[in-house]
Amino acid sequence: MKYYLLPFKFTRIGDHEVFVNEVGDMLHAPIGTAEQIVNRTIEDPELYKSLVANFFISEIRIPALLDVYAERLAEKKRFLDDYTALHIFVLTLRCNQNCIYCQASSRDEHCAASSMSRENMRLAVQHMFKSRSQYLTMEFQGGEPSLEHDLFLYGIELAEEINQTEHRHLTYVLCTNSINLTDEVMATCKQYNVLISTSLDGPSWLHNQNRGKQDSYEKVVKGITKAREILGADRVSALMTASELSLNYPIEIVDEYHKLGFTSIFLRALNPYGKATDNADWEAYTNRFIEFYKQAFEHIIELNKQGHVMIEEYAAIILRKLLTPWCTGFVDLQSPAGIVNSVLIYNYDGYMYASDESRMLAEENDFTFQIGKLSESYENLVYSPKVKEWSKVWNNEAIAGCSDCALQAYCGADPVRNHSTQGDLYGFRPTSLFCKKNKAIIEYIISCVIDRYDELMPIFRNWIR
Amino acid sequence: MKQRPLDIHSNDNTLFTTEQCNNHCIMCCQPPRKIDDIDHYYQQNIKRVLSAPKDLPLIALTGGEPTLMGDKLFSLIRLIREQLPNTEIHILSNGRKFADPEYAKALKLAGDNKVMVGVPLHSDYEKDHDIIAGSKGAYNETILGLYNLAMQGIAIELRIVMNKLNYMRLPQMATFIHKNLSFVTWTAFMGMERVGFADTKSTHIWIEPIEYIPQLCQAVQLLDDFRHEVVIFNIPLCLLPEQYHPFAEKSISDWKNKYTDCCEQCRLKEQCCGFFATSTQLYTGIKPY
């Protein structure tokens, strides 16, 4: 047997060896196959044909269809051509909640400072239109951005005005706890077709405990109901964040989402920023989160089998990467990393930051990922020496511990997380909890696809549509 | 070869362009001949287009391999567009000539959005495809041709003719299409017409549909799972599990379509493709619903 090896990676998952090529196509085979491939002793002729057809090995040194493979890779990295699509506007740090895990260092709603000036809003919106992306998402965050209604409306009006000549596809998202959805806020959302992204942690007792308030749940549910009535059910989605307490209640949390009529849930781990850093033992938390994820995931599968629509969004992202040839746009799992390439932050303090987490670090006086003042030119900000420095470590194809990882095509690079948890941008994968968590969950999803294909594919096909 | 007159009531209006082909497919129902016939058919087809009913919905260019006409293909298409501006043009080609991006571009210029190219793919594995196509190098040119057609935004019908040499890899082919050819407008899995090579060399090529139904269904399911358009041609409904009936089309041209005696008692006869009148034998496993 004579053939040439093309770049691919492999790992062992359960009873299988899993092979992944450069564009994320996956094949699986019995243990020992990798050795056969390398030694040119492949026994299964159909596997041999699949390896050739799918660019794992080549019968000539340079595959005749290399351009096809190149086009496939270009499609997977299409988000780079599109340039920054997600633009986060942090209107204020003022907040009307007091969540135990707050990652954004929110302040009391009655304090005067900590909101974005109109001048900075104007500069920020102008920067956003410098991105050549045809699709721009303007996401309003806080603190609680609904407390700054006039500024929120001002930002949208500026964007609408500029867009009269720019003709981009604009999407507005208000990230709100839904407690302050006043008629005024709702009128703006209705007028400009704003999506509501809210936050709900589970049943009332759990949610209220996480929020540090007695009646938060009731108010949130009331807000969700009001938003759905005015904007339509499909315009309101919710996110959960798993506090340490939440980890004991995967079933209850999923059931709560189902009960409230949500058709998707994003099982999200805490990130080590803001108040959340007080969390005692991150390693223990990560291990428990992985178990929590699996239990919640299986419960979601059960709901689907009973005929209910419920999508687990993290799994849906991994499945798209795993099973489709298309590019996915989730900023936390990109390579090159989501920072700058896919997301920019315009903070209330008048500075541009590299990501949502970057501005959270700034609240702890760590300004590593502060790009510069909004009054500077877009070019000086986005092509600054700082950003160029980050670009050396934002490809997981090129950093140790990721470059030879079989799951690389499904994962991403996160220099911000490396810096905040390990003290350097490059990071060290063997002790990285980001790595541990993603690896465990991605492997779990791969094993679902391999071992339970007929059972789960009818469900997964609806998740990735 | 005598051409049938263009008929507004027929579902099969064809311009036969040449008997020559640069492939030599082992199951070809119309085995190619090396004769210098391009000008002859070209002149004949010009007259046929000029006298065609103006509201003909669809006209098919077939052969042999129509792209062997070279630039005459584009003159013929321009004439059709001029004479029959509302008629869709379907070209049945092995796609190899489109490996030249300029040729694909010229097709787009001539046919614009009225043209669709039907291209057979025999396997996801190069050597299997080349064996079935009877020509070394066919696979690579066809795949590049498909990409060049897609780059021009030309609609593509991918055709998988199921035979003894490729049925085992139908599911793998579906994955390959999903991953590498996701731009095709639809994929058609086609039962063989038992005539020409498919009949004379039947021991190597022929396989009863009933034997490949599991692989076919798996392949159709996979493409449908990922929301690709997929159809089944030339397989009677009684051979398909009911959940796959929605994919089956009445695909056999009216002039060579027939039903058997047992079809007379079948309640699905009206929806069913039936059989090729041209086939030398019926499929096994036929039973009325």
Side-chain angles (χ1 to χ4, degrees), chain A residues 72-87:
Chain A
R72 295 273 325 271
L73 185 60
E75 171 55 32
K76 280 286 184 187
K77 303 289 186 186
R78 195 72 72 200
F79 66 95
L80 291 173
D81 282 349
D82 296 344
Y83 223 66
T84 319
L86 176 59
H87 299 263

mmCIF file of all heavy atoms in Angstrom, chain A residues 72-87:
data_model
loop_
_atom_site.group_PDB
_atom_site.id
_atom_site.type_symbol
_atom_site.label_atom_id
_atom_site.label_comp_id
_atom_site.label_asym_id
_atom_site.label_seq_id
_atom_site.Cartn_x
_atom_site.Cartn_y
_atom_site.Cartn_z
ATOM 1 N N ARG A 72 -12.969 24.273 1.263
ATOM 2 C CA ARG A 72 -13.646 23.792 2.475
ATOM 3 C C ARG A 72 -13.099 24.505 3.714
ATOM 4 O O ARG A 72 -13.843 24.889 4.613
ATOM 5 C CB ARG A 72 -13.425 22.277 2.636
ATOM 6 C CG ARG A 72 -14.044 21.388 1.563
ATOM 7 C CD ARG A 72 -15.480 21.007 1.868
ATOM 8 N NE ARG A 72 -15.737 20.827 3.276
ATOM 9 C CZ ARG A 72 -15.601 19.681 3.932
ATOM 10 N NH1 ARG A 72 -15.247 18.597 3.297
ATOM 11 N NH2 ARG A 72 -15.875 19.613 5.221
ATOM 12 N N LEU A 73 -11.778 24.641 3.772
ATOM 13 C CA LEU A 73 -11.168 25.307 4.923
ATOM 14 C C LEU A 73 -11.563 26.782 4.958
ATOM 15 O O LEU A 73 -11.897 27.331 6.011
ATOM 16 C CB LEU A 73 -9.638 25.160 4.870
ATOM 17 C CG LEU A 73 -8.863 25.700 6.071
ATOM 18 C CD1 LEU A 73 -9.281 24.985 7.354
ATOM 19 C CD2 LEU A 73 -7.360 25.546 5.872
ATOM 20 N N ALA A 74 -11.563 27.398 3.776
ATOM 21 C CA ALA A 74 -11.954 28.811 3.709
ATOM 22 C C ALA A 74 -13.375 28.992 4.234
ATOM 23 O O ALA A 74 -13.668 29.962 4.934
ATOM 24 C CB ALA A 74 -11.845 29.313 2.271
ATOM 25 N N GLU A 75 -14.253 28.043 3.913
ATOM 26 C CA GLU A 75 -15.640 28.147 4.399
ATOM 27 C C GLU A 75 -15.689 28.049 5.926
ATOM 28 O O GLU A 75 -16.401 28.802 6.583
ATOM 29 C CB GLU A 75 -16.507 27.055 3.753
ATOM 30 C CG GLU A 75 -17.914 26.916 4.333
ATOM 31 C CD GLU A 75 -18.734 28.205 4.332
ATOM 32 O OE1 GLU A 75 -18.543 29.035 3.417
ATOM 33 O OE2 GLU A 75 -19.554 28.375 5.259
ATOM 34 N N LYS A 76 -14.912 27.132 6.494
ATOM 35 C CA LYS A 76 -14.905 26.979 7.959
ATOM 36 C C LYS A 76 -14.378 28.246 8.649
ATOM 37 O O LYS A 76 -14.726 28.527 9.791
ATOM 38 C CB LYS A 76 -14.048 25.774 8.364
ATOM 39 C CG LYS A 76 -14.763 24.432 8.216
ATOM 40 C CD LYS A 76 -15.803 24.224 9.314
ATOM 41 C CE LYS A 76 -16.452 22.844 9.210
ATOM 42 N NZ LYS A 76 -17.582 22.689 10.164
ATOM 43 N N LYS A 77 -13.523 28.986 7.960
ATOM 44 C CA LYS A 77 -12.942 30.199 8.538
ATOM 45 C C LYS A 77 -13.601 31.458 7.956
ATOM 46 O O LYS A 77 -13.025 32.543 8.008
ATOM 47 C CB LYS A 77 -11.432 30.244 8.280
ATOM 48 C CG LYS A 77 -10.667 29.039 8.806
ATOM 49 C CD LYS A 77 -10.581 29.031 10.328
ATOM 50 C CE LYS A 77 -9.694 27.892 10.812
ATOM 51 N NZ LYS A 77 -9.708 27.761 12.295
ATOM 52 N N ARG A 78 -14.780 31.305 7.371
ATOM 53 C CA ARG A 78 -15.441 32.418 6.684
ATOM 54 C C ARG A 78 -15.674 33.612 7.612
ATOM 55 O O ARG A 78 -15.740 34.751 7.176
ATOM 56 C CB ARG A 78 -16.780 31.931 6.101
ATOM 57 C CG ARG A 78 -17.419 32.855 5.073
ATOM 58 C CD ARG A 78 -16.690 32.857 3.733
ATOM 59 N NE ARG A 78 -16.889 31.625 2.991
ATOM 60 C CZ ARG A 78 -16.074 31.212 1.998
ATOM 61 N NH1 ARG A 78 -15.037 31.933 1.647
ATOM 62 N NH2 ARG A 78 -16.303 30.085 1.387
ATOM 63 N N PHE A 79 -15.779 33.347 8.901
ATOM 64 C CA PHE A 79 -16.039 34.451 9.838
ATOM 65 C C PHE A 79 -14.936 35.510 9.777
ATOM 66 O O PHE A 79 -15.151 36.664 10.129
ATOM 67 C CB PHE A 79 -16.225 33.927 11.267
ATOM 68 C CG PHE A 79 -14.997 33.317 11.878
ATOM 69 C CD1 PHE A 79 -14.157 34.076 12.678
ATOM 70 C CD2 PHE A 79 -14.687 31.975 11.673
ATOM 71 C CE1 PHE A 79 -13.019 33.508 13.244
ATOM 72 C CE2 PHE A 79 -13.556 31.398 12.230
ATOM 73 C CZ PHE A 79 -12.715 32.169 13.018
ATOM 74 N N LEU A 80 -13.747 35.099 9.311
ATOM 75 C CA LEU A 80 -12.661 36.072 9.196
ATOM 76 C C LEU A 80 -12.907 37.042 8.043
ATOM 77 O O LEU A 80 -12.642 38.229 8.149
ATOM 78 C CB LEU A 80 -11.328 35.350 8.997
ATOM 79 C CG LEU A 80 -10.820 34.561 10.198
ATOM 80 C CD1 LEU A 80 -9.591 33.762 9.811
ATOM 81 C CD2 LEU A 80 -10.503 35.492 11.362
ATOM 82 N N ASP A 81 -13.408 36.514 6.931
ATOM 83 C CA ASP A 81 -13.761 37.380 5.797
ATOM 84 C C ASP A 81 -14.849 38.360 6.198
ATOM 85 O O ASP A 81 -14.854 39.509 5.790
ATOM 86 C CB ASP A 81 -14.319 36.545 4.635
ATOM 87 C CG ASP A 81 -13.218 35.853 3.866
ATOM 88 O OD1 ASP A 81 -12.040 36.186 4.109
ATOM 89 O OD2 ASP A 81 -13.530 34.997 3.027
ATOM 90 N N ASP A 82 -15.788 37.843 6.984
ATOM 91 C CA ASP A 82 -16.941 38.667 7.350
ATOM 92 C C ASP A 82 -16.563 39.785 8.312
ATOM 93 O O ASP A 82 -17.227 40.792 8.411
ATOM 94 C CB ASP A 82 -18.043 37.792 7.974
ATOM 95 C CG ASP A 82 -18.566 36.791 6.957
ATOM 96 O OD1 ASP A 82 -18.306 36.974 5.761
ATOM 97 O OD2 ASP A 82 -19.228 35.823 7.367
ATOM 98 N N TYR A 83 -15.486 39.569 9.033
ATOM 99 C CA TYR A 83 -15.004 40.517 10.018
ATOM 100 C C TYR A 83 -15.981 40.701 11.186
ATOM 101 O O TYR A 83 -16.979 40.012 11.281
ATOM 102 C CB TYR A 83 -14.611 41.848 9.367
ATOM 103 C CG TYR A 83 -13.313 42.342 9.938
ATOM 104 C CD1 TYR A 83 -12.137 41.639 9.720
ATOM 105 C CD2 TYR A 83 -13.276 43.468 10.739
ATOM 106 C CE1 TYR A 83 -10.960 42.049 10.295
ATOM 107 C CE2 TYR A 83 -12.086 43.883 11.310
ATOM 108 C CZ TYR A 83 -10.931 43.170 11.088
ATOM 109 O OH TYR A 83 -9.772 43.571 11.662
ATOM 110 N N THR A 84 -15.629 41.615 12.098
ATOM 111 C CA THR A 84 -16.359 41.696 13.365
ATOM 112 C C THR A 84 -17.857 41.906 13.150
ATOM 113 O O THR A 84 -18.267 42.905 12.549
ATOM 114 C CB THR A 84 -15.815 42.859 14.225
ATOM 115 O OG1 THR A 84 -14.411 42.869 14.111
ATOM 116 C CG2 THR A 84 -16.244 42.694 15.656
ATOM 117 N N ALA A 85 -18.629 40.976 13.660
ATOM 118 C CA ALA A 85 -20.076 41.058 13.486
ATOM 119 C C ALA A 85 -20.784 41.446 14.781
ATOM 120 O O ALA A 85 -21.823 42.102 14.763
ATOM 121 C CB ALA A 85 -20.615 39.718 12.979
ATOM 122 N N LEU A 86 -20.203 41.050 15.926
ATOM 123 C CA LEU A 86 -20.864 41.307 17.212
ATOM 124 C C LEU A 86 -20.231 42.520 17.894
ATOM 125 O O LEU A 86 -19.026 42.550 18.143
ATOM 126 C CB LEU A 86 -20.750 40.067 18.117
ATOM 127 C CG LEU A 86 -21.313 40.208 19.532
ATOM 128 C CD1 LEU A 86 -22.795 40.567 19.526
ATOM 129 C CD2 LEU A 86 -21.086 38.929 20.335
ATOM 130 N N HIS A 87 -21.054 43.490 18.165
ATOM 131 C CA HIS A 87 -20.576 44.730 18.793
ATOM 132 C C HIS A 87 -21.355 44.951 20.089
ATOM 133 O O HIS A 87 -22.564 45.147 20.067
ATOM 134 C CB HIS A 87 -20.746 45.907 17.833
ATOM 135 C CG HIS A 87 -19.946 45.722 16.575
ATOM 136 N ND1 HIS A 87 -18.710 46.285 16.382
ATOM 137 C CD2 HIS A 87 -20.188 44.969 15.471
ATOM 138 C CE1 HIS A 87 -18.236 45.911 15.208
ATOM 139 N NE2 HIS A 87 -19.108 45.117 14.630
#
